[in-house]
Amino acid sequence: MTISQLFPHLPAHRKRIERFLAERQLRYDHMDYYAVVTDGDDDERILAGGGLSGNIIKCVAVAEAAGGEHLCNTIVSHLLTVASGWGHHIVRVFTKPRNLGIFSSLSFRLLAESPEAILMETGIGGLSRYLEYLKTMRHSLHDGARVGAVVMNANPFTLGHRYLVEQAAADADWLYVIAVREDRSQYAYDERLRMIREGCEGLPNVTVCEGSDYAVSGTTFPTYFLKRLDDASDTQMTLDLDLFRRHIAKALGVTVRYVGSEDGDPLTRRYNELMARMLPEVREIRRLEMQGEAVSASKVRAAVANGRMSEAAMMTPRGTWPCLLSHLVTRALRMELDATPKPGLVDCHDSGAHSDMDHALMARSVMTLQPYFERLARIGMAVGTDDVEAVRAIGIEAEKAMLEATHGVNTHKGALFCMGLMTVAAAHALATRGESLIADRKSVTGSGMLDAACLQEGVSRLAAHFAHARDTHGHEVRQRDGGGRLSGAVEMARSGYARLFAEWLPYYRRCADSHPMQRTLLLIMSVLDDTNIAYRAGVEAMEGVKGEASALLENFSVRGLEEMNADFVRRGISPGGSADMLALTVYADSLTR
């Protein structure tokens, strides 16, 4: 017998795997790797097989004629070796309860069980290591103390989450809040954990615990061995709750679990029903409402996705605001990047006049910068626009991270400067003005928390402390031009981006239904001293581009944009400064709308 690899991404191999599994009454499930044991005299006849998806073993099966627990042991041992080679020190398996003995003989430990499935793992550490961590977080309490737990995703953390924690903490002697670690949410685990910790500040009997990889979810739970797919959700949720009951609750001494009421999502409602059956005590707390509607993370995400910071801020505590601002920055940068077609710039269709950039590189740069915008927002909320050195230091760190991510290509240096200043100003304004509106529970459809005046004042005050950088294209152009008659990034910032708020933003809003990104870009190009163009093609070309952009704006067409792009590519022209101002305009719109 020999062990060989099949490649699930190859259609012929995939069909062969599916056929083998179907003969065993099993379904195919996504895998990164699949190994088979074959007869040396017949390589096409699969005697046993098994796969890996990350550190999870899947689709283990043995041909009936081959018999043999030893074949199952052979394939699982091989998969453990492969997983170890991939760097996985812990390997898990979801399988049928009848296979408990087989995997136990291979040193797998039972973690949780349900009527249709069990969850097991092998390796050093794993769940036991997480339980040791939880025991260090356990608070010393008197016998018979009421100890509660709230498990939350907080994607992002809202006033509804804060309300749930407050109510639970008032009912319990001590409350543990556990963050769901699995990163399949819009807000990353590290972001969500920070928001939860800040959102629970001021509650003396609350401990926030880190999450673990032991949340049984739709991404980790395979369904290949279930007879009916209808059983999948209940089995998944039962395993998750059994693991909490067996291990996590015991480690913390939890006696009651608190959940928010769920009227909308049927899966969450079913999870709450199963929880009430399986756990000793479950208390459901009615969700917080504003203006007659429940506050939810999904509504906050929708507000951010649609560029409505004031609405999102109304439903969230101040500890969440820096994350919201950073996501609005990246939203604006992605909207600029994705706008297609654009003249001379990277977009979804081509790289414009750039030979060293493409869409994937620019997207990676945007995501690299996101956490730094969150840090800038936290500076703005904590000390306003006064700590210039802290702002400068974060900017330097962000630029270094960007260059590392892009292998030295300057993708967003200009955007980092203008967006960073606006973020600090917005965070400071939110910190000084926002909470009074929230305290009054005013309508989220009322006037916004931020306006042009407060943003411009904050940007101008901060920009006054910045001199012209000497390592920029703009500085070189001004030196080459003689006399420095061209305005640059610092001058625009010191004006509080006056032209943006007076002209570009109102125009962007007026043409919202007809190519607003491209039209606004042309408007900016028609008036901006774009030193990126001047550096690459000369000041005369920069002035010519203004006239070309103005003419195309008067007789706008997508065909005209495509022709301008082809011309700019031929001439090596890239209006990168205009692209930065377009992204800043979109960001300003989301802050003040």
Side-chain angles (χ1 to χ4, degrees), residues 93-97 99-100 103 116-120 224-225:
V93 62
F94 294 86
T95 187
K96 298 176 182 178
N99 294 328
L100 175 63
F103 284 96
E116 299 293 332
I118 57 174
L119 168 61
M120 305 182 76
Y224 67 90
F225 56 85

Side-chain angles (χ1 to χ4, degrees), residues 69-70 72-74 76-77 80 99-110 120-122:
E69 188 176 304
H70 72 281
C72 182
N73 292 352
T74 298
V76 171
S77 297
L80 290 174
N99 294 328
L100 175 63
I102 294 175
F103 284 96
S104 295
S105 70
L106 291 166
S107 300
F108 279 81
R109 303 176 294 275
L110 178 68
M120 305 182 76
E121 76 171 5
T122 187

Side-chain angles (χ1 to χ4, degrees), residues 540-553:
E540 185 176 341
M542 182 194 75
E543 294 296 340
V545 164
K546 291 181 182 180
E548 295 169 36
S550 180
L552 181 54
L553 188 59

Side-chain angles (χ1 to χ4, degrees), residues 61 70 99 183 405 453 459 504:
H70 72 281
N99 294 328
D183 258 335
V459 168
W504 305 338

Side-chain angles (χ1 to χ4, degrees), residues 221-454:
F221 178 61
T223 59
Y224 67 90
F225 56 85
L226 297 180
K227 290 183 179 179
R228 299 188 316 139
L229 285 175
D230 292 348
D231 298 332
S233 295
D234 269 20
T235 301
Q236 168 198 324
M237 290 184 280
T238 300
L239 285 172
D240 190 64
L241 290 166
D242 188 54
L243 191 143
F244 178 85
R245 176 179 61 185
R246 285 173 181 255
H247 305 287
I248 295 172
K250 287 183 179 179
L252 292 172
V254 169
T255 58
V256 56
R257 180 136 165 201
Y258 297 90
V259 297
S261 60
E262 184 53 61
D263 298 325
D265 181 45
L267 278 177
T268 306
R269 188 165 59 246
R270 177 59 176 162
Y271 187 82
N272 289 355
E273 290 172 1
L274 289 172
M275 191 186 306
R277 289 185 199 172
M278 295 179 61
L279 302 186
E281 183 180 358
V282 176
R283 280 214 58 195
E284 188 174 85
I285 295 172
R286 190 70 192 168
R287 297 175 72 175
L288 175 69
E289 293 187 352
M290 293 177 64
Q291 303 299 309
E293 292 189 4
V295 174
S296 70
S298 61
K299 290 177 183 175
V300 175
R301 294 195 301 273
V304 172
N306 291 301
R308 300 194 301 269
M309 178 63 193
S310 289
E311 182 177 335
M314 281 286 193
M315 294 183 282
T316 51
R318 62 179 289 150
T320 297
W321 296 345
C323 287
L324 300 184
L325 288 171
S326 72
H327 278 253
L328 284 171
V329 173
T330 54
R331 169 185 178 269
L333 291 171
R334 281 303 302 255
M335 285 178 66
E336 183 281 315
L337 173 61
D338 293 343
T340 304
K342 295 193 301 287
L345 297 164
V346 176
D347 58 25
C348 297
H349 182 260
D350 60 36
S351 296
H354 297 274
S355 59
D356 57 350
M357 301 180 196
D358 58 23
H359 188 278
L361 184 77
M362 297 285 285
R364 184 163 70 247
S365 174
V366 171
M367 295 313 298
T368 299
L369 291 174
Q370 181 174 311
Y372 295 95
F373 287 115
E374 181 187 337
R375 288 174 58 188
L376 287 169
R378 293 188 184 281
I379 288 289
M381 291 194 66
V383 297
T385 54
D386 295 329
D387 196 343
V388 178
E389 289 310 310
V391 172
R392 196 191 312 273
I394 294 172
I396 292 171
E397 281 187 61
E399 183 180 336
K400 181 180 177 182
M402 174 196 73
L403 293 174
E404 287 179 357
T406 62
H407 307 292
V409 179
N410 174 15
T411 47
H412 287 104
K413 187 171 183 176
L416 174 61
F417 177 74
C418 65
M419 296 288 220
L421 296 184
M422 189 74 79
T423 297
V424 175
H428 174 57
L430 280 171
T432 54
R433 306 173 56 175
E435 288 189 318
S436 60
L437 284 174
I438 288 178
D440 293 339
R441 291 288 193 270
K442 291 187 177 178
S443 170
V444 295
T445 59
S447 59
M449 298 180 187
L450 302 171
D451 56 34
C454 70

